[in-house]
Amino acid sequence: MCFYMSQKEPLPKVEKRFNAKVDRQSHFLQSDFINGFDFAKVPVILASAPNSISTHYHWGLVPAWSKDLEFRKNTLNARIETLAEKPSFAKSTANRCLVIASSFFEWHWNDEKGKSKDKYEIFSAQDELFAFAGIYDTWYNPQEGRPYNSFAIVTTAANPQMEYIHNHKKRMPILLKKEDEAAWLDAKNNFRAFAFPYTAELLAFKVSQ
């Protein structure tokens, strides 16, 4: 799973890394700790606009058919194994995006109930900045008639490293290799090709709490 992440890098560095321009500089999110349950607008790159970094998309996907925003607390993540079957995500499998990040956080349970935990911060071994595989949708608020843009991070079974760290759920977000980012955005490519054993190399460090 992935409910907590960071995007620590400044705007010029992000633009250079992804060869794209931020659409609204004043809304660009830079943070050491982003809680998914705050439904923040995390910078993303849409397949439909690969040269633009969008600041319009909230974490927590609200499907177009939803009646309200309550849905989003259950859709921060989307399991790749059931992506095409789940009503929340089925119509978004071709709506792909890159979710820009510099790290994410998971907890290792030291006992069966998770009363004692160790926090880990996980990075890409390839680059200071990376992208999660994401999907997106747009919902229209029936009261206000305004669009609400949102996304989910796609997850897969944990690799051996993450299986140890995230030993309760044994899941991990799909962290894309830099050379595969364009392939993820291309809807002609089967999304299932990015399920485990596909994985980028990770670096993980225990964090003092």
Side-chain angles (χ1 to χ4, degrees), residues 104-108 110 116-123 161 164-165 203-209:
F104 67 100
F105 301 88
E106 286 295 0
W107 282 257
H108 173 88
N110 297 316
S116 170
K117 300 179 185 178
D118 291 323
K119 182 180 180 182
Y120 284 80
E121 186 170 11
I122 300 105
F123 303 84
Q161 181 183 19
Y164 169 78
I165 295 172
L203 294 174
F205 299 93
K206 190 182 292 187
V207 179
S208 300
Q209 299 188 69

Side-chain angles (χ1 to χ4, degrees), residues 51-70:
N51 297 316
S52 177
I53 298 170
S54 176
T55 57
H56 295 263
Y57 282 76
H58 298 263
W59 189 1
L61 190 144
V62 181
W65 50 261
S66 181
K67 294 182 179 179
D68 55 49
L69 288 173
E70 283 299 307

Side-chain angles (χ1 to χ4, degrees), residues 26-189:
S26 61
H27 288 72
F28 178 74
L29 179 61
Q30 183 180 1
S31 175
D32 290 342
F33 190 82
I34 302 169
N35 183 338
F37 295 99
D38 291 335
F39 314 113
K41 292 179 182 177
V42 177
V44 300
I45 297 176
L46 309 181
S48 59
N51 297 316
S52 177
I53 298 170
S54 176
T55 57
H56 295 263
Y57 282 76
H58 298 263
W59 189 1
L61 190 144
V62 181
W65 50 261
S66 181
K67 294 182 179 179
D68 55 49
L69 288 173
E70 283 299 307
F71 216 93
R72 61 188 177 174
K73 63 186 179 183
N74 300 313
T75 53
L76 295 171
N77 295 164
R79 295 172 68 99
I80 197 166
E81 298 88 346
T82 56
L83 205 59
E85 288 77 44
K86 290 285 185 180
S88 307
F89 309 123
K91 293 184 178 180
S92 296
T93 57
N95 297 343
R96 302 186 194 175
C97 64
L98 306 178
V99 182
I100 297 171
S102 51
S103 69
F104 67 100
F105 301 88
E106 286 295 0
W107 282 257
H108 173 88
W109 284 24
N110 297 316
D111 57 75
E112 290 185 0
K113 296 186 177 180
K115 291 183 179 180
S116 170
K117 300 179 185 178
D118 291 323
K119 182 180 180 182
Y120 284 80
E121 186 170 11
I122 300 105
F123 303 84
S124 165
Q126 186 179 29
D127 206 335
E128 289 180 298
L129 277 162
F130 61 86
F132 294 119
I135 56 173
Y136 66 92
D137 206 345
T138 297
W139 171 75
Y140 285 88
N141 187 319
Q143 281 76 41
E144 301 177 8
R146 291 189 297 181
Y148 182 90
N149 301 311
S150 58
F151 70 90
I153 291 174
V154 183
T155 68
T156 187
N159 66 15
Q161 181 183 19
M162 286 303 301
E163 192 173 51
Y164 169 78
I165 295 172
H166 197 206
N167 60 333
H168 175 51
K169 296 288 188 180
K170 297 185 179 180
R171 302 288 299 174
M172 63 182 287
I174 298 175
L175 192 156
L176 296 165
K177 300 173 186 177
K178 186 176 181 179
E179 61 268 25
D180 294 334
E181 290 168 357
W184 170 258
L185 290 178
D186 189 345
K188 293 193 296 291
N189 295 322

